[in-house]
Amino acid sequence: MKLTKFTHSCVRLEKDGRVLVLDPGNFSESAEALAGAEAVLVTHEHADHIDVPVVVEALRSTTGLAVFAPARVAGQLQDKATGEAARIHAVNPGSTFQAAGFSIRSFGGQHALIHPQIPVVANIGYLIDDNVYHPGDSFVIPDGISVQTLLVPLHAPWSKSAEVLDFVIGVRAPRAFQIHDGLLNENGLKIVEGHVQRLGAKYGTEYTHLAARESVEV
C-alpha cells in the first residue's frame, strides 16, 4: 500500500485505488488528505486528531464515506451530521472490521495520562492489513501480532523520550515513521529522532523521517 504522511498525526493509505485516512486533525492538511477517501479512522476526540467541521463536511459531500471512531466521537459526529449517522460507526478495542477494502483490528482503549487532574479519554489504536499500526495517543503495544510498519508518536504533552524509545523497542517493527511531531521544531526533531533511529536499530527497527505530504510504499 501507499502511505502518505501529513502534518502531525494524519496518515493517508491507498491500495487498489481505494483510500483510508487516519486522524485528520486540525494541525494537518485534513481536507487534502480526505479527498477521495472511502473511510476515516479516528483514534480519539482531541482536535489535533479530528477536525470535526472538516470531517462533517466530508461526510456530507462524499457519498459512501464511512467514519470509525470511539463511541463518544462517533456520537458527536452523529449529532452534527444527522443525515449521515448511519455511516458513522463506534469502535471498541478488540474489534475487527473492513474499511475501504482494508482489514482493521483495534487495540488499546485509553489515552495516555497527561496529568491526574486532566480527564482521560478513550483512545483506539488501529492495525491496518496486519501491517501499519497507528497507536493514536498511547503506547499500547498490540498483543498477539507482529507489526510491520510502526507509526511512532514522537512528542506530546503526555510523553517523554524514554517512553517513545521503549515503545519502539517493545513493538520491534521492521520499519517505523514518525507521527505526532507537530509541536517539535527542527532542533527537537533532530534530538528525538536521533535517539529513535540509533536505539531502534539495535532491536531491528529501521526508522525513517517523512516530510509532510511525502509518500512511501509499505
Side-chain angles (χ1 to χ4, degrees):
M1 73 182 80
K2 178 182 177 182
L3 183 154
T4 303
K5 186 200 183 301
F6 289 88
T7 300
H8 202 52
S9 284
C10 181
V11 174
R12 176 181 169 108
L13 301 175
E14 301 175 58
K15 182 183 71 173
D16 299 330
R18 307 182 74 178
V19 177
L20 173 71
V21 175
L22 295 100
D23 277 8
N26 63 1
F27 291 175
S28 309
E29 303 83 4
S30 296
E32 179 183 338
L34 289 167
E38 291 184 47
V40 179
L41 306 181
V42 179
T43 62
H44 65 285
E45 64 189 65
H46 292 159
D48 58 325
H49 293 261
I50 177 169
D51 190 332
V52 171
V54 171
V55 172
V56 168
E57 176 58 31
L59 278 163
R60 290 172 175 165
S61 62
T62 308
T63 302
L65 177 65
V67 177
F68 301 83
R72 179 166 163 168
V73 180
Q76 292 171 343
L77 290 174
Q78 289 168 343
D79 289 342
K80 294 178 181 297
T82 54
E84 292 72 35
R87 293 187 275 120
I88 302 168
H89 308 279
V91 180
N92 294 313
S95 301
T96 60
F97 56 95
Q98 296 284 317
F102 295 84
S103 297
I104 315 296
R105 295 176 64 181
S106 62
F107 295 88
Q110 181 173 294
H111 190 288
L113 181 67
I114 300 171
H115 186 273
Q117 297 186 59
I118 298 176
V120 174
V121 301
N123 181 92
I124 300 291
Y126 296 101
L127 178 71
I128 299 96
D129 278 357
D130 291 324
N131 181 350
V132 177
Y133 182 57
H134 191 309
D137 279 8
S138 80
F139 291 130
V140 170
I141 296 176
D143 57 285
I145 57 97
S146 295
V147 174
Q148 300 303 306
T149 305
L150 179 63
L151 302 177
V152 184
L154 276 191
H155 172 265
W158 46 267
S159 74
K160 59 183 180 181
S161 293
E163 295 170 329
V164 175
L165 295 169
D166 283 343
F167 179 61
V168 173
I169 291 168
V171 176
R172 301 195 184 197
R175 56 183 168 261
F177 307 100
Q178 92 283 4
I179 56 171
H180 219 283
D181 54 340
L183 299 180
L184 284 175
N185 62 20
E186 185 176 342
N187 292 329
L189 274 172
K190 183 177 180 180
I191 291 171
V192 179
E193 289 189 317
H195 292 321
V196 173
Q197 189 172 49
R198 184 179 68 258
L199 294 182
K202 294 177 66 175
Y203 296 89
T205 298
E206 181 181 0
Y207 173 83
T208 304
H209 175 86
L210 294 179
R213 298 186 174 93
E214 185 174 356
S215 300
V216 291
E217 292 290 331
V218 299

